[in-house]
Amino acid sequence: MKKHKNVVMGRKAESIYSAMKNNWIRQTKQEKACEARQRIESFEKQMERYEASKAGYAYINGISMPILSA
């Protein structure tokens, strides 16, 4: 996969402000994706740590949610 952008000849030059804004937006998207990945991984590790008898599913308003009992 290409890691660089193709430069289009008719494109307007980016100002420092717009470049910083675009970089900030890209960085926040990456941080949110990383946080979501960490939450999922930590939940899966916690499910593996506990025995199957301690984990169950609760059906609330049409949504099945995994529940860990203490």
Side-chain angles (χ1 to χ4, degrees):
M1 229 177 162
K2 293 182 181 179
K3 295 283 184 180
H4 63 281
K5 295 180 183 177
N6 291 337
V7 178
V8 180
M9 291 307 291
R11 188 169 172 201
K12 183 178 175 182
E14 252 184 10
S15 67
I16 293 173
Y17 173 78
S18 61
M20 286 175 53
K21 185 178 174 183
N22 290 339
N23 288 339
W24 182 78
I25 290 170
R26 192 177 308 115
Q27 182 179 2
T28 54
K29 284 182 182 178
Q30 288 177 350
E31 288 173 356
K32 287 180 182 179
C34 182
E35 287 176 10
R37 248 185 277 113
Q38 287 176 346
R39 280 191 209 123
I40 291 169
E41 289 173 358
S42 66
F43 181 74
E44 288 174 352
K45 286 179 185 176
Q46 191 175 9
M47 290 291 282
E48 289 174 359
R49 227 181 302 142
Y50 292 107
E51 297 174 7
S53 62
K54 292 185 177 183
Y57 285 89
Y59 189 74
I60 303 169
N61 294 334
I63 301 172
S64 182
M65 299 287 294
I67 304 293
L68 294 176
S69 60

